[in-house]
Amino acid sequence: MEREAAQAELRARLIEAGHLYPQPYQGLWAFGGDFEAVLAGVERQVHLMEPLQGVRQMTFPPFLGEREFVATGYMNSFPQLIGSVDVFTGDNREHRKMVAAKDAGEDWTTYLTPAHLDLVSAPCHATYPMHAGTTLEEPVKYEVSSRCFRHEPSDDPMRLVSFRMREKVCFGTPEAAVEHRELGMRVGPELLRSMGLTIEVEPANDPFFGRAAQIFAQGQLDAGLKYEFVCKVYGDENSGTALGSSNYHNDHFGLDFDVHVPGGGLAHSSCIGFGLERVTVALFATHGMDVSTWPADVRAVLGLSSDEQSA
Ligand code: ATP
Ligand code: ZN
């Protein structure tokens, strides 16, 4: 089946089963109770995944201050995916003009001003600024999550505008960051396979923007910086979709945030990240729309006990 037809079929089955509810904005979805129960099980498994020791757990808001956001370099490389918040700061007169513009069917948003708040693209971006201008005596490890925004509106139920991501991050010496990335390439696929998913590990590149995109993407591939945990949700005849990835950023964030390691070198970082809705959709695509019929071992891994079902 063609990729688009396969997407449409999966989308229809998820909607029919009450797992996904389409919202009026393309790429924005609401989720049903069973979907959330499965997603919670996935999130719990990511939490239990190595590394566990010495890991600081943090849940971030879905926004980053503009200074920090810009410093991550995301706006330079992926402007097509970013979004920012506008707010109303005017007086009564301005308010009346804004309402009049709206009532006349004109663009009322021109009365808003930037809040200097940007939507988070990946939760690991919030960890690096916490160490800005410091020397890391020891590598630091985080387990982080947040709601992410990426402006890539699509009808593909695997590609959302707003989604949740949970990551394990390491920031420290090059050796520690590389070791963390290597660990991710082992434990990431293991975790997904324990849920009955068929996973391939593939070298990958990010969707860089503009004329230099191919050069950046090829550089990332050549340097082996990004490996994705890929599942063929749309059949063997179509390319797979990444459910997670293990990424080595080299000294990118150390340079951006002026973070060093003992001896004076820049701090290096790596992260192991999972898109929670993506993994959940892949589970429904693999095991069927009725969670009560899923294999017992998969239900056990996800904490979907039979008691819970009948309760
Ligand atoms: P893709 O190549 O599919 O666009 P990516 O390389 O941009 O993904 P990462 O930046 O590595 O993705 O993000 C980590 C994980 O977040 C992905 O493996 C995926 O599970 C999830 N993710 C990324 N973009 C989306 C999206 N638009 N909708 C849902 N999940 C997403
Ligand atoms: Zn990350």
Side-chain angles (χ1 to χ4, degrees), residues 74 81 150 152 158-161 163 165 205-207 226 228 241-245 247 273-279:
Y74 203 82
L81 300 178
R150 295 192 188 179
E152 42 186 0
M158 299 288 278
R159 190 168 296 283
L160 317 182
V161 162
F163 59 95
M165 200 195 294
N205 59 265
D206 283 314
K226 185 181 180 87
E228 288 184 331
T241 309
L243 306 186
S245 59
N247 310 284
F274 297 85
L276 301 181
E277 285 85 353
R278 264 211 195 159
V279 178

Side-chain angles (χ1 to χ4, degrees), residues 15-32:
I15 294 170
E16 163 81 24
H19 299 318
L20 289 190
Y21 295 88
Q23 302 297 295
Y25 188 99
Q26 190 187 32
L28 214 52
W29 297 89
F31 310 101

